């Protein structure tokens, strides 16, 4: 591995990308430290999802630097490599394998060898079994482990997806709108879960739910028109006139 | 196409012969009917009689004088002379014609000359000088003929033979000639003669320029022949001209290939535009699209039959009636298909593919049951048949019309999508179905119309294809894969991409054909597209960004 | 490890179907060879290769189901892999003719003599050996699928696009094999075979043996396919089918996953083609027709994609129907086939087996729900009843 360029877990510098003339990201710079839980807010079209696309290798930036763990240039890697490096991603719309059981979903997500032949001859070991049981308990799906994911409620799918990210054992988690469509109780439980996860790894959460962000009580970055508008505590950011103008409204 | 070309070539080969025969026939006709007025004829008599007096030089002079009158009767007389049928008394005087069976007649009127016996006459003998004079006089007479076609063929003959001895004759004809085409032929003939003769280098150089200026294959041949016998100081000049012409001809070949490619491309464009609508705009993959084209072609057939039966006078307009009819027929069938099958399969493209494939089998078999499996004859109206030469290009009218037609359809469709209300609604539904629906656009209605539009365009493509391809139940199958290649290559959801895709595939196909053959060329194109899709999975003119992710 | 892999837990119905096929492998030849003509148990000679043909189609449909039903790749090129396997076998059979051809050339097949060829093209060498031909039956379709898939999957050509370019590939091969210069008999293809492995290809015993081999191969393929789809790899494939990007973001190389199953499936199609040719006695470029490849899709769809026994049942049913139909009302077969395409996609998207399984599962879930309610009234009923779409293997 190359010498560390930064000490940050995630380092974006001057990243721009445009689609058919539309600038989705405009010289965006953004840094996440190891073990940090960071919230991102911003209006629709601010570039939140595009930023995640760039970090996870789905989209290539037109310019700018993206480094993971201080030394890995993410712009040269594809999704699978980046996932194997230890970046997990939860989509805006809960994306689980609907025709698999909850158990199989987690088994597939486990951080094991992922080649064709390793999977072809894979046998479930006691260790893996224990790990899956543990995650099931964490995301409160033990009772439904043999049900098809398609039959879960919306909130349960969100949790299953988070469980799958945990099974992946990532160093950095990108979570896109985890509480959309959840009840208030589920929302506050999710906040607790994320804070718990952030004890051992870095987490970036994109959310519109300001109550949820407040529950998290972490540093907030507000994006607008593809670059950072304001950064700081929730109170600092929500009092910033530019943020009020662009996002919160008067 | 190839057959038509070889026929053309054959015609060109036959042309000198046909012209010669025509000229001879004309001469004989003039002779037998004696078109010239009697008075003028009598004026000729002393000149004819002069043929019987004096030595060879005098007689040659007499031939020239005779020819100079330009009288239509003269060629006949000269023919008698060169055939050795003219006789004169030893002492001179009136000239008679002694034909078969020693029948003595008046050469001018053809009436029997009573009281003159063949035995009392002596044949007017010929030598080479005299023969030359006769030949020259004959050519001159046709070259100066008032009939343009006769002069044209005479000029072609002169260019073919290009005897330096006739140089002065050509000069004379050139001085009088007004017609551009004949003039250029004569100038070439003159140049070739100069090259063959012992004129000065300067004259020859000018002659080479004249020939080279024609710039066609004949000029190339003339120069190549000239090169063989050319003096050393002329050879490089001729060689340079030959290279120049060869380059020019190669350019024409390229142009011809582009033309063929455009022609094929326009056909592909017609077949693919409808697909670009259904596949590109709606995301519906319609494997029965080829059958819509086929139905359009059969509609043309039916319309033509109907017109021929009920209104034979309108036969030339059959095609004009077929275009809207085919559009309506296939558009209605398309709407029925959308309402009956496709609307249940939105969001399941692979199932749509299978269902429409099944539909294509049914449509093919239905047509086969109704019209039989054999080809149906669809006639070309007169304004669509024939060829016109543009420089070195042979342009067939039907291909030209199809290019015009396909571009017209393309731009009409583009305007429809950009300017009309329906076009706006279509684009809205394409971009965001739910939003469009909540804005009050009746999306099912728009879907049906869009599909109908795509199918209707396929039907119009069928009308055009009926003019250049066999109208059979399999007609559509031959185009469906190519059309998909065009849409995929050009980029889905972009009509300009379809245009560029169709034309470039057409041209690429025609450029590969001479090197690889038609089948291998096609295979190569398919392989190239498959490789191209690897590089740009969404085609040449792809949309980018998050919007396109499903 | 391999035997362990193959013997891993299979579903009961897979094992039942495999056992039925194996029983057919034994009983049909016996009923053909040992029972007297006219006996109720007798299978007439002409039916043996016909049934063998159905089983070849079943194997082809099973191969397609692995990529389409389990990985979501709708290949319209499986007819081409089938034909390539068939040609490899046909080349072996051609070389076995030897000097018994019309032109009695010991080395060159008749069509080459006819074309005035003086020597065997280099790519025909080795095909006089059965083992070599058998290897090529696997390698040629496998290699084509590998190269094609390598390009296609790496650049993420998916869905309808992939279907269209596989169809273009088939079409290009169709055009190529029609050319005499290719050296595969052009329009007429390869035919007039005499014997296989020394046995007369027309003899009832040979035909019975060919039927038995086909059935055995189909049963093996079924067990193999079952082992594949029930492994973790199989679960990844279903993941790719249902949520490709999720699979990618979990760190799986989706292109490798697809490439492996596509190649394996092409090899299976090649085997099916190789077994088909000696039983029907001819292979010609018509087998590359894009329509053939699409027909395979409909067999699979009718039987039920994403189930292993579905495509086998579908292939046999549709082709049996085709035999009946084309004999009774030849001009209506295309109407019937077209209608089958439409009806299946509209009314039976899960296919026969899928629908039956769905029904059984719904009943089971209802019973479970009723039982749960009786036991503990507090536990909430499942949010929705029914299985996800498309059908899973269990």
């Amino acid at each position: 591995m190359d010498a560390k360029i930064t000490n940050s877990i995630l380092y974006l510098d001057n990243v721009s990308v445009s689609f058919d003339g539309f600038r989705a990201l405009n010289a965006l710079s953004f840094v996440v430290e190891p073990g940090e839980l960071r919230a991102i807010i911003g209006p629709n079209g601010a570039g939140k999802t595009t930023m995640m696309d760039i970090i996870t290798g789905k989209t290539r930036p037109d310019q700018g630097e993206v480094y993971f763990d201080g030394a890995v240039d993410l712009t040269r890697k594809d999704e699978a490599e980046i996932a194997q490096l230890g970046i997990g991603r939860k989509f805006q719309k809960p994306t689980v394998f609907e025709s698999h059981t909850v158990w199989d979903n987690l088994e597939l997500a486990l951080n094991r060898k992922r080649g064709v032949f390793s999977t072809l001859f894979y046998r479930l070991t006691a260790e893996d079994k224990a790990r899956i049981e543990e995650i099931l308990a964490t995301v409160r799906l033990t009772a439904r482990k043999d049900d098809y994911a398609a039959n879960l409620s919306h909130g349960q799918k969100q949790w299953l997806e988070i469980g799958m990210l945990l099974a992946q054992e990532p160093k950095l988690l990108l979570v896109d709108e985890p509480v959309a469509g959840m009840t208030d109780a589920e929302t506050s439980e999710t906040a607790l879960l994320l804070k718990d996860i952030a004890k051992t790894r870095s987490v970036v959460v994109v959310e519109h739910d300001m109550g949820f962000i407040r529950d998290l009580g972490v540093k907030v970055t507000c994006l607008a028109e593809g670059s950072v508008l304001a950064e700081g505590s929730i109170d600092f950011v929500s009092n910033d006139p530019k943020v009020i103008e662009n996002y919160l409204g008067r | 196409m190839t057959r038509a070309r070889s026929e053309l070539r054959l015609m060109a080969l036959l042309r000198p012969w046909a012209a010669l025969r025509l000229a001879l026939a004309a001469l004989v006709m003039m002779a037998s009917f004696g078109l010239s007025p009697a008075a003028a004829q009598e004026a000729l008599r002393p000149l004819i009689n002069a043929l019987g007096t004096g030595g060879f030089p005098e007689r040659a002079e007499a031939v020239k004088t005779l020819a100079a009158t330009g009288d239509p009767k003269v060629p006949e007389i000269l023919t008698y002379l060169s055939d050795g049928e003219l006789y004169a008394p030893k002492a001179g005087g009136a000239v008679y014609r002694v034909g078969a069976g020693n029948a003595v007649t008046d050469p001018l009127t053809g009436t029997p000359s009573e009281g003159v016996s063949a035995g009392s006459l002596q044949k007017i003998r010929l030598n080479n000088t005299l023969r030359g004079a006769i030949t020259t006089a004959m050519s001159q007479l046709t070259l100066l003929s008032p009939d343009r076609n006769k002069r044209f063929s005479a000029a072609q003959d002169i260019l073919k033979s290009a005897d330096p001895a006739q140089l002065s004759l050509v000069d004379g004809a050139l001085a009088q000639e007004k017609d551009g085409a004949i003039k250029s032929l004569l100038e070439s003939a003159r140049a070739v003669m100069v090259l063959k003769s012992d004129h000065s280098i300067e004259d020859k150089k000018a002659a080479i320029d004249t020939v080279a200026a024609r710039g066609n294959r004949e000029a190339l041949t003339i120069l190549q022949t000239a090169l063989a016998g050319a003096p050393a100081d002329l050879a490089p000049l001729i060689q340079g001209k030959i290279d120049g012409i060869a380059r020019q001809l190669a350019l024409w070949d390229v142009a011809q290939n582009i033309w063929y490619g455009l022609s094929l491309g326009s056909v592909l464009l017609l077949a693919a535009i409808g697909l670009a609508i259904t596949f590109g705009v709606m995301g519906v993959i319609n494997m029965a699209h080829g059958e819509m084209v086929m139905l359009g072609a059969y509609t043309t057939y039916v319309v033509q039959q109907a017109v021929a039966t009920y209104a034979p006078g309108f036969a030339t307009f059959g095609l004009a009636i077929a275009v809207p009819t085919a559009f309506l027929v296939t558009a209605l069938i398309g709407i029925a298909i959308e309402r009956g099958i496709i609307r249940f399969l939105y969001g399941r493209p692979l199932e749509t593919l299978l269902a429409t494939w099944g539909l294509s089998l049914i449509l093919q078999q239905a047509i086969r049951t109704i019209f039989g499996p054999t080809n149906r004859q669809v006639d070309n109206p007169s304004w669509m048949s024939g060829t016109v030469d543009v420089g070195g290009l042979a342009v067939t009218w039907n291909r030209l019309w199809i290019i015009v037609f396909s571009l017209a359809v393309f731009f009409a469709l583009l305007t429809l999508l950009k300017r009309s209300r329906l076009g706006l609604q279509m684009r809205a539904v394409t971009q965001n179905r739910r939003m469009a629906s909540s804005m009050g656009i009746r999306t099912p209605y728009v879907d049906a119309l869009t599909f109908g539009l795509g199918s209707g365009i396929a039907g119009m493509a069928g009308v055009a294809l009926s003019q250049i391809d066999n109208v059979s139940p399999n007609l559509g199958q031959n185009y469906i894969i190519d059309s998909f290649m065009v849409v995929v290559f050009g980029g889905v959801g972009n009509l300009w991409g379809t245009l560029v895709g169709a034309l470039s595939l057409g041209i690429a196909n025609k450029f590969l054909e001479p090197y690889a053959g038609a089948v291998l060329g096609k295979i190569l194109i398919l392989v190239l597209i498959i490789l191209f899709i690897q590089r740009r999975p969404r085609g040449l003119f792809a949309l980018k960004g998050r919007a396109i992710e499903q | 490890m391999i035997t362990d892999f193959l013997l891993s837990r299979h579903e009961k119905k897979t094992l039942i179907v495999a056992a039925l096929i194996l029983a057919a492998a034994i009983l049909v030849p016996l009923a053909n060879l040992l029972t007297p003509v006219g006996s109720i148990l007798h299978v007439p000679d002409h039916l043996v290769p016909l049934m063998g043909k159905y089983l070849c189609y079943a194997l082809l449909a099973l191969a397609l189901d692995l990529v389409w039903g389990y990985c979501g790749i709708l290949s319209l090129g499986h007819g081409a892999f089938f034909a390539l396997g068939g040609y490899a076998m046909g080349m072996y059979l051609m070389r076995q003719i030897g000097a018994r051809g019309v032109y009695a050339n010991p080395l060159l097949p008749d069509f080459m003599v006819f074309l005035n060829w003086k020597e065997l093209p280099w790519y025909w060498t080795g095909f006089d050996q059965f083992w070599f031909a058998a290897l090529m039956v696997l390698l040629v379709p496998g290699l084509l699928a590998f190269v094609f898939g390598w390009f296609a999957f790496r650049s993420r050509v998916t869905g309808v696009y992939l279907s269209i370019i596989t169809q273009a590939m088939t079409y290009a091969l169709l055009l190529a094999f029609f050319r005499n210069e290719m050296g595969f008999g052009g329009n007429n293809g390869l035919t007039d075979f005499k014997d296989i492995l020394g046995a007369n290809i027309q003899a009832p015993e040979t035909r019975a043996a060919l039927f038995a081999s086909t059935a055995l191969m189909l049963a093996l393929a079924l067990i193999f396919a079952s082992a594949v789809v029930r492994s973790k790899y199989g679960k990844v494939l279903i993941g790719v089918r249902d949520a490709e990007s999720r699979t990618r973001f979990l760190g799986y190389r989706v292109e490798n996953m697809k490439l492996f199953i596509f190649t394996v499936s092409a090899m299976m199609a090649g085997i099916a083609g190789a077994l088909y040719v000696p039983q029907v006695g001819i292979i010609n470029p018509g087998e590359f027709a894009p329509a053939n490849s699409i027909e395979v899709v409909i067999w699979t769809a009718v039987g039920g994609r994403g189930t292993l026994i579905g495509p086998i049942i579908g292939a046999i049913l549709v082709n049996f129907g085709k035999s009946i139909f084309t004999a009774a009302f030849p001009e209506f077969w295309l109407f019937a086939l077209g209608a089958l395409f439409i009806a299946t996609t509209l009314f039976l998207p899960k296919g026969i087996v899928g629908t039956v399984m769905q029904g059984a599962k719904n009943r089971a879930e209802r019973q479970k729900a009723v039982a749960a309610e009786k036991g503990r009234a507090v536990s909430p009923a499942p949010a929705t009843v029914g299985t996800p779409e498309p059908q899973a293997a269990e």
Side-chain angles (χ1 to χ4, degrees):
Chain A
M1 193 168 267
D2 311 320
K4 288 217 173 192
I5 292 171
T6 74
N7 287 321
S8 318
I9 188 87
L10 182 65
Y11 174 88
L12 276 75
D13 186 31
N14 198 24
V15 174
S16 296
V17 67
S18 46
F19 303 123
D20 287 334
F22 168 70
R23 275 216 134 169
L25 288 185
N26 191 3
L28 174 76
S29 297
F30 179 75
V31 175
V32 179
E33 300 306 328
E36 186 184 351
L37 172 57
R38 173 75 65 92
I40 295 182
I41 58 172
N44 283 326
K48 302 182 300 278
T49 304
T50 306
M51 184 186 86
M52 292 212 170
D53 283 348
I54 284 184
I55 297 168
T56 52
K58 191 173 178 187
T59 304
R60 299 254 175 266
D62 296 339
Q63 63 166 58
E65 294 178 333
V66 185
Y67 283 96
F68 173 64
D69 214 3
V72 185
D73 184 354
L74 293 182
T75 59
R76 294 164 185 279
K77 310 233 175 250
D78 67 8
E79 295 101 315
E81 274 176 294
I82 290 172
Q84 287 173 15
L85 281 170
I87 297 183
R89 176 174 183 185
K90 203 200 88 57
F91 294 102
Q92 201 166 337
K93 186 171 159 259
T95 314
V96 294
F97 301 124
E98 307 226 328
S99 33
H100 282 315
T101 59
V102 170
W103 180 280
D104 283 346
N105 266 285
L106 291 174
E107 187 184 309
L108 286 178
L110 272 190
N111 182 21
R112 297 291 173 266
K113 280 188 181 168
R114 296 173 177 98
V116 169
F117 294 99
S118 330
T119 49
L120 204 52
F121 300 114
Y122 173 82
R123 300 233 131 201
L124 191 64
T125 60
E127 183 198 344
D128 289 356
K129 210 168 174 173
R131 176 76 185 127
I132 294 174
E133 303 274 9
E134 184 190 331
I135 295 167
L136 277 172
T138 315
V139 295
R140 299 179 177 112
L141 286 170
T142 312
R144 309 216 50 183
K145 67 183 164 71
D146 292 328
D147 286 333
Y148 287 110
N151 296 344
L152 297 180
S153 72
H154 183 81
Q156 285 172 320
K157 281 183 192 170
Q158 299 270 38
W159 279 58
L160 174 58
E161 199 176 4
I162 292 172
M164 287 164 76
L165 292 190
L166 289 177
Q168 229 182 311
E169 293 166 19
K171 294 181 192 160
L172 171 66
L173 246 90
L174 305 174
V175 188
D176 206 346
E177 300 197 17
V179 297
M182 280 188 176
T183 61
D184 285 351
E186 283 173 329
T187 301
S188 49
E189 285 211 44
T190 307
L192 284 176
L193 179 65
L194 284 180
K195 274 199 273 192
D196 204 37
I197 293 169
K199 283 176 189 156
T200 49
R201 55 204 92 213
S202 310
V203 180
V204 175
V205 186
V206 169
E207 201 28 273
H208 284 295
D209 186 327
M210 292 306 279
F212 174 76
I213 303 269
R214 234 168 246 289
D215 278 355
L216 288 179
V218 294
K219 190 170 169 188
V220 175
T221 300
C222 180
L223 293 189
E225 288 169 11
S227 41
V228 175
L229 203 62
E231 205 165 71
S233 72
I234 179 72
D235 293 323
F236 175 80
V237 169
S238 54
N239 286 323
D240 187 308
K242 280 183 295 179
V243 174
I244 295 168
E245 170 88 16
N246 269 289
Y247 178 50
L248 298 173
R250 272 176 246 274
Chain B
M1 174 123 281
T2 2
R3 218 194 53 187
R5 259 166 85 196
S6 59
E7 266 171 17
L8 277 176
R9 239 182 255 140
L10 198 65
M11 291 262 294
L13 246 148
L14 288 175
R15 203 174 298 135
W17 282 111
L20 201 64
R21 286 212 331 253
L22 250 165
L24 282 175
L27 285 177
V28 172
M29 259 172 63
M30 276 165 29
S32 44
F33 291 108
L35 291 170
S36 56
Q41 272 186 19
E42 286 315 307
L44 281 181
R45 194 169 295 281
L47 299 176
I48 295 172
N49 289 345
L51 292 172
T53 53
F56 290 120
E58 285 79 18
R59 286 188 218 155
E61 207 50 48
V63 168
K64 275 185 191 161
T65 325
L66 196 59
T69 63
D71 191 285
K73 196 73 188 171
V74 175
E76 193 190 346
I77 308 287
L78 289 180
T79 314
Y80 298 150
L81 178 61
S82 68
D83 289 351
E85 290 179 358
L86 289 190
Y87 285 68
K90 287 192 186 79
V95 169
Y96 298 96
R97 176 182 175 220
V98 180
N102 282 345
V104 181
T105 51
D106 179 355
L108 203 54
T109 57
T111 48
S113 308
E114 304 290 339
V116 184
S117 80
S120 67
L121 300 172
Q122 197 179 28
K123 192 184 199 172
I124 301 173
R125 286 189 296 129
L126 301 170
N127 70 352
N128 280 342
T129 324
L130 201 50
R131 281 202 187 93
I134 294 171
T135 318
T136 311
M138 290 283 274
S139 304
Q140 194 180 3
L141 280 170
T142 34
L143 272 182
L144 299 176
S145 156
D147 185 341
R148 185 207 171 261
N149 291 340
K150 239 175 269 168
R151 292 204 311 276
F152 188 76
S153 53
Q156 282 180 323
D157 292 346
I158 293 243
L159 176 57
K160 279 266 152 15
S161 60
D163 180 1
Q166 291 176 318
L167 194 54
S168 55
L169 166 67
V170 172
D171 280 337
L174 262 176
Q176 298 186 16
E177 189 54 66
K178 299 280 187 291
D179 188 292
I182 301 177
K183 211 165 179 169
S184 109
L185 275 175
L186 288 175
E187 274 164 0
S188 300
R190 184 182 184 282
V192 178
M193 291 170 188
V194 169
L195 283 176
K196 284 184 182 168
S197 68
D198 44 8
H199 273 66
S200 67
I201 294 291
E202 275 62 42
D203 283 355
K204 289 194 176 184
K205 278 183 181 163
I208 290 168
D209 286 341
T210 313
V211 175
R214 294 190 69 198
N216 57 11
R217 283 187 204 284
E218 268 175 37
L220 197 63
T221 326
I222 293 172
L223 287 179
Q224 273 160 348
T225 330
L227 182 62
D233 45 349
L234 272 183
L237 177 69
I238 298 178
Q239 188 60 53
K241 293 288 181 191
I242 288 178
D243 293 348
I245 294 179
R247 266 198 301 279
Q248 215 174 347
L249 284 178
L251 274 180
W252 278 119
D253 278 352
V254 170
Q256 185 82 54
N257 272 338
I258 291 178
W259 163 253
Y260 288 145
L262 284 179
S263 163
L264 177 66
S266 67
V267 169
L268 290 179
L269 177 65
L270 269 180
I273 298 177
L275 207 61
I277 294 284
T278 51
F279 184 38
V281 177
M282 298 175 74
V284 165
I285 180 146
N286 181 13
M287 295 301 270
H289 183 79
E291 277 55 48
M292 295 292 134
V293 175
M294 183 263 289
L295 287 176
Y298 272 91
T299 309
T300 315
Y301 168 74
V302 172
V303 166
Q304 231 175 39
Q305 294 294 311
V307 169
T309 317
Y310 300 109
F314 288 94
T316 14
F317 304 107
L319 221 51
I321 303 169
V323 171
T325 318
F327 179 84
L328 280 180
V329 168
T330 48
L332 286 177
I333 295 177
I335 290 175
I337 293 172
E338 199 276 340
R339 287 288 88 188
I341 298 175
I342 289 171
R343 71 174 161 136
F344 302 109
L345 297 172
Y346 281 123
R348 289 155 66 195
L350 298 182
E351 268 97 337
T352 315
L353 186 156
L354 293 180
T356 49
W357 175 267
L359 197 68
S360 83
L361 293 181
I362 292 176
L363 289 174
Q364 269 180 53
Q365 188 59 30
I367 288 293
R368 209 171 279 134
T369 311
I370 299 170
F371 293 93
T374 48
N375 295 346
R376 291 281 141 180
Q377 180 63 40
V378 173
D379 300 321
N380 284 11
S382 53
W383 47 273
M384 277 191 79
S385 33
T387 316
V388 59
D389 285 322
V390 179
L393 285 184
V395 173
T396 46
W397 280 112
N398 56 359
R399 298 270 171 179
L400 186 66
W401 279 117
I402 286 176
I403 293 183
V404 171
F405 181 65
S406 61
L407 290 179
V409 170
F410 176 80
F411 286 106
L413 185 64
L414 208 60
T415 320
L416 181 78
L417 284 182
K418 283 251 148 64
R419 301 255 178 269
S420 78
R421 187 164 176 76
L422 177 65
L424 182 67
Q425 293 186 342
M426 273 181 200
R427 284 182 291 140
V429 173
T430 312
Q431 280 169 23
N432 193 331
R433 176 171 293 272
R434 272 177 45 217
M435 180 60 88
S437 153
S438 51
M439 300 274 293
I441 296 176
R442 287 188 290 157
T443 50
Y445 170 78
V446 173
D447 285 337
L449 282 190
T450 312
F451 198 81
L453 179 65
S455 304
I457 292 170
M460 294 203 289
V463 179
L465 285 181
S466 73
Q467 295 298 308
I468 51 168
D469 205 339
N470 297 327
V471 177
S472 77
N474 301 327
L475 173 72
Q477 290 292 302
N478 303 333
Y479 290 95
I480 186 74
I481 292 184
D482 285 337
S483 316
F484 271 119
M485 289 296 119
V486 166
V487 176
V488 167
F489 178 67
V492 168
N494 189 323
L495 278 185
W496 287 104
T498 311
L499 178 72
V500 174
L503 296 185
S504 45
L505 284 192
I507 292 172
N509 227 322
K510 287 297 170 187
F511 270 89
L512 278 175
E513 253 175 39
Y515 307 103
V519 175
L520 213 57
K522 207 172 171 118
I523 297 172
L524 273 177
I525 291 282
L526 288 176
V527 171
L528 286 179
I529 293 177
I530 290 171
L531 288 178
F532 172 82
I533 293 179
Q534 325 288 348
R535 295 223 118 260
R536 303 193 63 155
R538 288 180 189 273
L540 269 183
F541 292 79
L543 301 167
K544 277 204 298 182
R546 275 173 62 195
I548 51 149
E549 304 285 341
Q550 295 92 3
Chain C
M1 190 158 75
I2 302 288
T3 44
D4 192 32
F5 167 69
L6 282 179
L7 294 178
S8 58
R9 194 164 53 96
H10 294 288
E11 280 180 288
K12 207 198 289 170
K13 57 179 176 295
T14 309
L15 292 176
I16 292 172
V17 172
L20 281 176
I21 297 168
L22 283 178
I26 299 163
L27 292 179
V28 170
L30 287 184
N32 172 239
L33 298 175
L34 298 183
T35 57
V37 179
S39 149
I40 312 174
L41 294 175
H42 182 71
V43 175
D45 282 351
H46 72 273
L47 278 188
V48 176
L50 188 67
M51 287 156 70
K53 198 170 95 171
Y54 293 165
L55 294 190
C56 291
Y57 287 151
L59 180 53
L60 176 58
L62 179 65
L64 179 76
D65 189 40
L66 277 182
V67 289
W68 184 36
Y70 287 90
C71 196
I73 303 168
L74 178 54
S75 160
L76 297 181
H78 266 56
F81 300 133
F82 179 82
L84 285 174
Y87 265 96
M89 178 57 82
M91 285 161 82
Y92 162 73
L93 295 172
M94 280 315 260
R95 300 230 25 206
Q96 291 310 107
I97 298 174
R100 286 170 291 173
V102 178
Y103 297 106
N105 188 312
L107 190 63
L108 297 187
D110 277 348
F111 72 86
M112 291 189 193
V113 183
F114 185 76
L115 290 173
N116 261 327
W117 289 20
K118 294 299 170 225
E119 55 191 85
L120 207 61
W122 59 268
Y123 45 84
W124 274 74
T125 33
F127 277 96
D128 50 336
Q129 301 295 321
F130 184 79
W131 66 266
F132 183 82
L135 196 65
M136 288 301 134
V137 163
L138 291 173
L139 283 189
V140 173
L143 195 68
L144 176 64
F146 185 84
V147 172
F148 189 90
W150 170 270
F151 284 116
F153 300 140
R154 274 172 65 88
S155 41
R156 305 199 181 165
V157 181
T158 54
V160 184
Y161 287 86
L162 192 87
S163 304
I164 291 174
I165 64 165
T166 51
Q167 187 178 39
M169 174 196 83
T170 314
Y171 186 56
L173 283 170
L174 169 78
L175 293 177
F177 272 75
F178 264 120
R179 288 162 53 86
N180 280 327
E181 296 82 352
M182 281 286 285
F184 297 111
N187 207 355
N188 300 321
L190 311 176
T191 188
D192 291 331
F193 309 131
K194 302 285 186 221
D195 49 29
I196 178 167
L197 289 169
N200 179 3
I201 207 161
Q202 304 281 356
E205 293 80 11
T206 318
R207 303 206 139 176
L210 281 170
F211 175 85
S213 328
T214 309
L216 186 67
M217 194 54 87
L218 178 61
L220 270 178
L222 177 60
I223 294 296
F224 170 77
S226 165
V228 168
V229 300
R230 293 183 65 83
S231 71
K232 186 174 176 184
Y233 171 72
K235 290 174 186 167
V236 176
L237 284 187
I238 294 174
V240 170
R241 178 190 74 190
D242 293 349
E244 180 167 333
S245 55
R246 171 40 78 210
T247 324
R248 228 181 263 284
F249 286 117
L250 284 181
Y252 291 101
R253 294 216 152 274
V254 168
E255 55 276 16
N256 293 357
M257 298 288 161
K258 287 180 172 177
L259 188 57
F260 178 78
I261 198 69
F262 192 60
T263 308
V264 165
S265 165
M267 287 176 166
M268 282 171 68
I271 296 174
L275 288 164
Y276 170 85
V277 167
Q279 299 190 69
V280 298
I282 184 168
I283 175 83
N284 63 29
E287 295 294 336
F288 284 104
N292 284 19
S293 293
I294 299 190
E295 244 180 84
V296 185
V297 175
I298 204 64
W299 307 336
T300 311
V302 167
R305 67 192 157 102
T307 72
L308 290 173
I309 55 177
I312 295 176
I313 292 171
I316 293 172
L317 273 184
V318 176
N319 282 294
F320 179 68
K322 184 178 184 173
S323 299
I324 302 282
F325 231 104
T326 45
F329 329 92
E331 65 275 32
F332 289 107
W333 165 242
L334 281 181
F335 286 126
L337 185 64
L340 187 65
F341 270 96
I342 297 172
T344 309
T345 44
L346 286 184
F347 306 118
L348 208 62
K350 291 170 191 292
I352 297 169
V353 175
T355 309
V356 170
M357 274 165 50
Q358 172 82 65
K361 199 166 295 176
N362 284 354
R363 232 172 299 128
E365 298 236 352
R366 258 198 308 275
Q367 275 162 6
K368 212 171 93 183
V370 170
E373 225 149 275
K374 272 182 189 162
R376 269 187 303 150
V378 278
S379 96
T384 48
V385 176
T387 43
E389 166 110 8
Q391 186 65 47
E394 279 74 18

